[in-house]
Amino acid sequence: MAEAFEPKKIIVTGGAGFIGSNFVHWVVDNQPGVHVTVLDALTYAGNRANLDGIPEERMTFVHGDICDAPLVDELFAHADAVVHFAAESHNDNSIADPAPFVRTNVEGTFTLLEAARKHKVRFHHISTDEVYGDLALDDPAKFTEDTPYHPSSPYSSTKASSDLLVRAWYRTYGVRATISNCSNNYGPRQHIEKFIPRQITNILCGIRPKLYGDGKNVRDWIHTEDHSSAVWEILTRGRIGETYLIGANGERGNIDVLRAILAGMGKGADDFDWVRDRPGHDRRYAIDATKLRTELGWVPKHTDFAEGLAQTIEWYRANPEWWQGAKEATEAKYAAQGQ
Ligand code: NAD
Ligand code: TDX
């Protein structure tokens, strides 16, 4: 039977980013007795405005780095639990410049684990299905918790490294830790460097969408709100020392996702450019979330991808001030890479 845990004071690292901010809003909306302290360095991917509207008494925002050991130590002295989202998160950036990925994803996780060990703070680590490498397009298999680690990119190898640190700190020091490895998220407030928002904002700017390689790569899409509810279940009812895969049976080819965006925005099926492939590009990800569903009874709410995508398109259309400032530099960076 899963152990019950009722945290009252949680630290959310990376809470000003895409998934972290959606998680903070979810906690504030769904868990009335919980206070959240966000620790975020506000890198290019973090945005304080992502947390607008949250009442002051529910959240404290700390502008700081997860590698800052004295700061982390001070915050952990007053917390029951940490949910660790902070990371460098974009594969293409990791190929161009891996150094910040090693620092934040590996050293940052190490710094947090040391503080969790000292202050006996419950630790939930947010990771990715990319640690398992990729599957062939014609392979009926999906990733499970027993799939061997086989990361491909600098990004996914640093995430795999951080997972291994968490496992060691659980086994050696008894840190009360869990890990979740989730598939590709979509929804509001995702940085426009990522696939879905890049194409939506390209169309809104009159730029043609860009598809890598042959466009047949498959990603397993999950709405970020479903990721949030799954993380809460694991934090509060998951078994200590365990890993849970999070996914919602959302496998789709990139070209199919792009064509759905084009159709949803009144464009033709071929109104896009083929561009240079990502080096080492993973072919397919697919999650078997049986453990999470059967052990914790979790079910996703956003199972209609067309509806979730339409809402996401609408969010970018309605919030141009959120993304316009970053558009030119993001596209210039891609153009320099032939993408
Ligand atoms: P993001 O890039 O949108 O946000 C990352 C946040 O972390 C930003 O707010 C940034 O300011 C902060 N940050 C970065 N370095 C920091 C540091 N050194 N100290 C403190 N804060 C720092 O990322 P995301 O897409 O929201 O991903 C969040 C987490 O979820 C990551 O751990 C990622 O590996 C994981 N994940 C993402 C996906 C996905 O589809 N995006 C899927 C599975 C897992
Ligand atoms: O312009 C593009 N054209 C394109 O074809 C971009 C930006 C991407 N792609 C392709 C590459 C991937 O096959 O689309 C797919 C999705 O790309 P990303 O949004 O960069 O996501 P991915 O590399 O799959 O990684 C994401 O999911 C797992 C997150 O960024 C990671 O943080 C998470 O761990």
Side-chain angles (χ1 to χ4, degrees):
M1 185 62 197
E3 118 181 6
F5 174 60
E6 293 181 2
K8 295 288 173 226
K9 292 176 286 181
I10 66 172
I11 295 170
V12 176
T13 69
F18 163 48
I19 307 177
S21 69
N22 277 288
F23 178 75
V24 173
H25 281 279
W26 188 93
V27 170
V28 168
D29 292 345
N30 293 284
Q31 305 299 330
V34 176
H35 181 271
V36 179
T37 297
V38 170
L39 173 59
D40 198 296
L42 298 178
T43 67
Y44 80 97
N47 185 344
R48 180 64 180 80
N50 288 345
L51 299 164
D52 280 357
I54 295 178
E56 250 176 55
E57 65 275 15
R58 299 296 310 279
M59 185 193 74
T60 305
F61 182 80
V62 178
H63 183 192
D65 195 313
I66 59 167
C67 298
D68 180 345
L71 172 65
V72 166
D73 185 78
E74 188 187 316
L75 296 176
F76 275 52
H78 307 287
D80 308 323
V82 60
V83 184
H84 173 35
F85 291 91
E88 285 292 337
S89 69
H90 191 40
N91 275 300
D92 292 319
N93 292 345
S94 82
I95 294 165
D97 180 14
F101 289 73
V102 175
R103 181 178 180 277
T104 287
N105 301 358
V106 184
E107 286 178 40
T109 302
F110 161 74
T111 306
L112 299 173
L113 283 166
E114 283 292 82
R117 168 156 87 103
K118 178 172 166 193
H119 296 288
K120 303 198 179 345
V121 167
R122 167 83 170 84
F123 196 100
H124 181 69
H125 181 60
I126 302 295
S127 193
T128 169
D129 57 359
E130 297 191 18
V131 299
Y132 300 113
D134 62 353
L135 299 159
L137 291 180
D138 60 358
D139 186 345
K142 296 184 175 204
F143 299 136
T144 72
E145 288 78 5
D146 298 323
T147 304
Y149 274 36
H150 197 62
S152 313
S153 73
Y155 162 70
S156 54
S157 62
T158 59
K159 291 299 289 187
S161 308
S162 66
D163 292 8
L164 298 183
L165 292 177
V166 176
R167 289 179 183 197
W169 262 243
Y170 158 68
R171 176 156 172 164
T172 304
Y173 302 119
V175 169
R176 289 176 300 135
T178 41
I179 300 175
S180 55
N181 298 78
C182 188
S183 61
N184 285 60
N185 283 221
Y186 75 101
R189 299 192 289 275
Q190 184 167 32
H191 195 279
I192 57 167
E193 66 191 356
K194 305 294 197 311
F195 180 55
I196 289 179
R198 183 183 184 203
Q199 315 313 336
I200 295 171
T201 55
N202 272 0
I203 294 169
L204 290 173
C205 291
I207 302 168
R208 283 165 71 85
K210 311 286 184 231
L211 192 61
Y212 294 175
D214 63 7
K216 290 184 183 156
N217 304 64
V218 168
R219 295 295 182 264
D220 189 351
W221 294 98
I222 181 173
H223 194 281
T224 186
E225 193 179 330
D226 288 328
H227 189 179
S228 294
S229 65
V231 167
W232 188 260
E233 291 306 319
I234 299 164
L235 175 69
T236 55
R237 298 195 297 121
R239 280 182 293 140
I240 299 301
E242 294 287 315
T243 288
Y244 294 85
L245 263 54
I246 305 175
N249 296 329
E251 274 189 75
R252 278 181 176 72
N254 289 346
I255 190 160
D256 300 325
V257 173
L258 179 54
R259 290 215 156 114
I261 295 170
L262 288 163
M265 298 183 74
K267 296 288 173 190
D270 295 319
D271 288 344
F272 67 88
D273 295 332
W274 300 97
V275 294
R276 190 175 75 88
D277 206 359
R278 173 184 284 171
H281 196 178
D282 280 340
R283 205 55 171 153
R284 169 175 161 252
Y285 305 137
I287 290 271
D288 177 348
T290 303
K291 179 175 175 182
L292 175 66
R293 287 172 182 264
T294 54
E295 208 179 290
L296 301 180
W298 172 82
V299 277
K301 274 208 248 175
H302 298 269
T303 45
D304 184 340
F305 182 73
E307 189 185 306
L309 188 62
Q311 286 167 357
T312 304
I313 293 171
E314 201 34 52
W315 189 86
Y316 285 91
R317 208 195 289 282
N319 293 282
E321 72 294 343
W322 186 89
W323 55 266
Q324 271 172 345
K327 188 66 185 168
E328 204 178 310
T330 304
E331 286 309 308
K333 198 165 161 184
Y334 275 126
Q337 295 169 183
Q339 294 177 318

